[in-house]
């Protein structure tokens, strides 16, 4: 957890006017400024906070405290909290297990998803804290917050008291962080998003045949390397879960949005080499598409996202030439989705099938190198 963290923003589409994208950069006007976020905590954050308080109180039980210590040592990225508590006997563990299972279901509902089983997990904020933990120092419990600009972090001790921690300085006292398994939520959310968009006519429910596919393959754009920049380094942030929305006009002339999961893209200042297909050009009518990189924090509601996107994009008709599809979407998003920072991470506009080399993002917050890639049938 000592590495710099990416913002964990609410998922949203953003928009910029159509401008040329050169082989080495993307040029675009500044992104629209979102409406101010409400001060109240989100539903998911409130649920996480209640679980953190309950977990802190439960750690007065020596057996549960030891179980948590060993479980987080075995799973540094996070141990599922409900199964961890359910594996112990005693009233304290049973109560925590039941409360966390209810919270798991509430989180899934807040994100517009069905019951996904355990979603809340716990991890040690930084590996350097383990020595003090093993020496018997009583830990605190906080949540992996979404506000990277917070000056203090709200934590709880075993007596239920609130302890304010300096957000800029790694605590010497061990701190457990309650977080969401965003990888699991992202997988389910991407699937829901694609299904809901398909049901509303924004994306096909199943791959469509095309001339390119009939010719025993299709052209794609492959990401060979990618990096996102963010100078913030709060110790209480978790790894990001990223995905892209690729938008354009489908072969049928209707608006199309394809979701592309990018779970490997977790930390800023790190270059990743995924060799991942970003665009399947056989799905698109024109030789241009927009790419918007987004991030799932705990508050992302995929069902609401699909409904908002569809409501706007269904009003845009094919005019016989490529036009940007995302300008009107930003205005359709509820102000509550703009929490702490702009919701999107980066964007690339007018990506072409022949685009090659390094493409700088429109925000200046990231870059990727791409190349055309022929996907042949076996």
């Amino acid at each position: 957890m000592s590495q710099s963290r990416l913002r964990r923003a609410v998922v949203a589409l953003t928009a910029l006017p159509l401008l040329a994208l050169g082989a080495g950069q993307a040029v675009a006007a500044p992104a629209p400024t979102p409406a101010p976020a409400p001060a109240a905590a989100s539903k998911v954050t409130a649920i996480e906070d209640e679980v953190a308080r309950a977990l802190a109180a439960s750690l007065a039980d020596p057996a549960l405290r030891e179980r948590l210590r060993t479980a987080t040592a075995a799973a540094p990225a996070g141990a599922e909290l409900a199964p961890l508590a359910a594996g112990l006997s005693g009233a304290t563990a049973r109560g925590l297990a039941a409360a966390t299972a209810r919270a798991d279901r509430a989180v899934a509902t807040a994100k517009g998803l069905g019951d996904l089983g355990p979603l809340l997990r716990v991890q040690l904020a930084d590996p350097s804290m383990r020595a003090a933990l093993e020496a018997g120092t009583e830990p605190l419990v906080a949540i992996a917050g979404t506000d990277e600009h917070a000056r203090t972090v709200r934590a709880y001790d075993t007596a239920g008291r609130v302890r304010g921690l300096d957000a800029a300085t790694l605590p010497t006292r061990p701190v457990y962080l309650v977080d969401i398994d965003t990888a699991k939520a992202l997988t389910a959310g991407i699937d829901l998003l694609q299904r809901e968009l398909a049901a509303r006519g924004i994306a096909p429910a199943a791959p469509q045949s095309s001339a390119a596919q009939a010719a025993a393959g299709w052209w794609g754009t492959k990401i060979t390397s990618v990096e996102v920049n963010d100078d913030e380094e709060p110790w209480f942030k978790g790894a990001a879960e990223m995905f892209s929305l690729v938008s354009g006009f489908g072969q049928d002339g209707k608006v199309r949005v394809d979701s592309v999961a990018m779970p490997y893209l977790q930390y800023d200042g790190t270059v990743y080499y995924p060799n991942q297909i970003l665009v399947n050009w056989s799905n698109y009518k024109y030789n241009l598409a927009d790419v918007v990189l987004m991030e799932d924090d705990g508050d992302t509601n995929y069902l609401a996202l699909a409904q908002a996107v569809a409501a706007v994009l269904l009003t845009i008709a094919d005019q016989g030439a490529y036009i940007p599809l995302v300008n009107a979407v930003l205005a359709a998003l509820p102000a509550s989705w703009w929490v702490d920072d702009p919701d999107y991470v980066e964007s690339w506009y007018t990506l072409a099938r022949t685009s090659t080399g390094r493409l700088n993002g429109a925000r200046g917050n990231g870059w990727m190198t791409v190349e055309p890639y022929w996907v042949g049938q076996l």
Side-chain angles (χ1 to χ4, degrees), residues 72-310:
T72 54
E80 293 179 338
L81 184 53
L84 182 152
L88 293 174
S89 59
T92 300
R94 288 197 300 271
L96 179 63
T100 306
R102 289 194 298 271
D104 285 332
R105 293 190 291 272
V107 167
T109 298
K111 293 175 70 61
L113 304 172
D115 188 356
L116 299 178
L119 273 178
L120 291 165
R121 60 185 181 180
V122 60
Q123 61 184 310
L124 196 60
D126 192 86
S128 65
M129 298 174 175
R130 189 157 300 281
L133 192 66
E134 294 177 348
T137 303
E138 185 178 275
L140 300 173
V141 181
I143 66 172
T146 59
D147 186 359
E148 66 185 17
H149 301 301
R151 295 185 177 182
T152 59
V153 177
R154 182 184 182 92
Y156 299 99
D157 63 18
T158 56
R161 295 182 294 248
V162 176
R163 302 294 186 94
L165 302 177
D166 185 354
T169 305
L170 184 69
T172 56
R173 185 171 177 176
V175 180
Y176 285 116
L177 295 177
V178 173
D179 199 1
I180 291 173
D181 186 346
T182 48
K184 179 187 289 187
L186 177 63
T187 300
I190 290 291
D191 183 60
L192 173 67
L193 182 62
Q194 206 65 26
R195 289 200 317 269
E196 290 296 324
L197 290 175
R200 290 163 173 78
I202 297 299
Q208 295 180 333
S209 61
S210 68
Q213 291 171 330
W218 45 270
W219 279 103
T221 291
K222 182 174 71 171
I223 303 174
T224 55
S225 61
V226 59
E227 179 185 13
V228 175
N229 304 312
D230 190 345
D231 293 332
E232 302 296 333
E233 299 188 31
W235 58 266
F236 56 91
K237 301 284 282 182
E241 293 294 342
M242 313 288 283
F243 71 96
S244 289
L245 293 186
V246 181
S247 61
F249 283 94
Q251 294 287 351
D252 57 2
K254 297 179 180 178
V255 171
R256 178 189 178 99
V257 177
D258 288 299
S259 307
V260 181
M262 305 173 75
Y264 54 86
L265 190 54
Q266 295 185 325
Y267 298 104
D268 64 355
T270 301
V271 179
Y272 295 89
Y273 302 90
N275 286 318
Q276 179 185 30
I277 297 295
L278 179 65
V279 186
N280 177 347
W281 289 104
S282 71
N283 291 326
Y284 291 89
K285 178 178 180 179
Y286 300 109
N287 184 32
L288 291 173
D290 297 330
V291 178
V292 182
L293 180 63
M294 305 180 192
E295 185 176 5
D296 176 12
D297 73 349
D299 302 324
T300 302
N301 186 311
Y302 290 93
L303 180 59
L305 173 62
Q307 292 170 341
V309 170

